[in-house]
């Protein structure tokens, strides 16, 4: 008969995820982000121009004085520049790592979030290639756990061959855990 023991774990000896060496996203992924920002900017300025055109045409320019036009465009430009700036800061903070028993993903701008998922909780792994990412040879790994309809971790900006290798690694880890 086995004797039950329940020893106290010294929390000072636990592994610290903060000390893990994270892999940054591929540098080409920044170009993917820039293309997306450019598309959003063009669409936003087009919509603003469209709204201003119809304001002049149908409302006789009530809200379309030259000062007000400048304020609209300047405001939109400031928002886009802020989006660019925060996207760059966020890009630099993102990273991922694989340890013996879990996968880690770090992201965030103001508060850095680190998601840690043990391999035995992973149910599915998908590899996604967006239109823009595919042009740069990049892919995104999505990791799903039980009970969630959306992925728990999305790791974008990984070279496609490396993403396929990561998917194989994770599939092997999942099968070992079963």
């Amino acid at each position: 008969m086995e004797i039950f023991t329940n020893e106290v774990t010294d929390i000072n000896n636990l592994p610290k995820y903060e000390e893990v060496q994270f892999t940054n996203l591929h540098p080409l992924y920044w170009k993917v982000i820039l293309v997306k920002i450019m598309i959003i900017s063009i669409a936003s300025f087009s919509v603003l121009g469209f709204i201003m055109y119809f304001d002049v045409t149908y409302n006789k320019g009530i809200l379309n004085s030259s000062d007000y036009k400048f304020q609209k465009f300047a405001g939109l430009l400031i928002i886009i520049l802020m989006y660019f700036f925060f996207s760059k800061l966020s890009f630099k903070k993102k990273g991922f790592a694989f340890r013996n028993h879990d996968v880690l993903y770090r992201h965030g701008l103001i508060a850095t979030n680190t998601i840690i998922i043990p391999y035995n909780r992973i149910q599915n792994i998908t590899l996604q290639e967006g239109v823009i990412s595919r042009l740069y040879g990049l892919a995104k790994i999505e990791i799903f756990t039980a009970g969630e309809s959306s992925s728990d971790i999305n790791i974008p900006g990984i070279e496609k061959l490396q993403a396929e290798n990561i998917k194989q690694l994770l599939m092997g880890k999942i099968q070992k855990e079963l």
Side-chain angles (χ1 to χ4, degrees), residues 29-175:
Y29 187 63
W30 175 241
K31 290 184 179 183
V32 173
I33 294 171
L34 286 177
V35 169
K36 289 178 181 180
I37 291 172
M38 186 177 68
I39 290 169
I40 290 169
S41 300
I42 290 170
S44 298
F45 279 111
S46 298
V47 168
L48 181 59
F50 186 74
I51 290 170
M52 288 173 55
Y53 170 77
F54 280 104
D55 181 47
V56 169
T57 305
Y58 295 107
N59 294 329
K60 308 293 185 238
I62 296 167
L63 297 175
N64 222 8
S65 68
S66 60
D67 289 340
Y68 197 67
K69 278 184 192 178
F70 176 76
Q71 289 173 352
K72 287 179 191 177
F73 279 107
L76 183 57
L77 182 62
I78 288 169
I79 290 170
I80 290 169
L81 289 173
M82 287 175 55
Y83 182 65
F84 170 83
F85 177 73
F86 289 124
S87 294
K88 183 66 173 177
L89 291 177
S90 176
F91 172 76
K92 289 180 178 182
K93 289 184 102 178
K94 291 180 182 177
F96 59 94
F98 298 95
R99 297 191 295 187
N100 290 335
H101 302 286
D102 52 27
V103 57
L104 295 87
Y105 180 62
R106 180 187 65 204
H107 66 96
L109 186 58
I110 296 170
T112 301
N113 300 313
T114 303
I115 302 169
I116 304 170
I117 298 179
Y119 294 133
N120 63 358
R121 295 226 354 165
I122 296 174
Q123 296 290 312
N124 190 26
I125 300 121
T126 61
L127 191 137
Q128 297 266 333
E129 291 180 86
V131 174
I132 300 167
S133 293
R134 188 178 310 137
L135 294 173
Y136 291 101
L138 302 174
K140 171 173 66 172
I141 295 282
E142 294 182 320
I143 300 172
F144 297 84
T145 60
E148 293 289 328
S149 59
S150 62
S151 59
D152 292 290
I153 295 180
N154 289 314
I155 307 174
I158 303 173
E159 201 169 23
K160 186 176 179 194
L161 181 60
Q162 184 183 20
E164 289 170 349
N165 291 337
I166 289 170
K167 182 178 178 181
Q168 291 302 319
L169 166 86
L170 293 174
M171 294 299 286
K173 295 280 190 182
I174 292 171
Q175 291 172 354

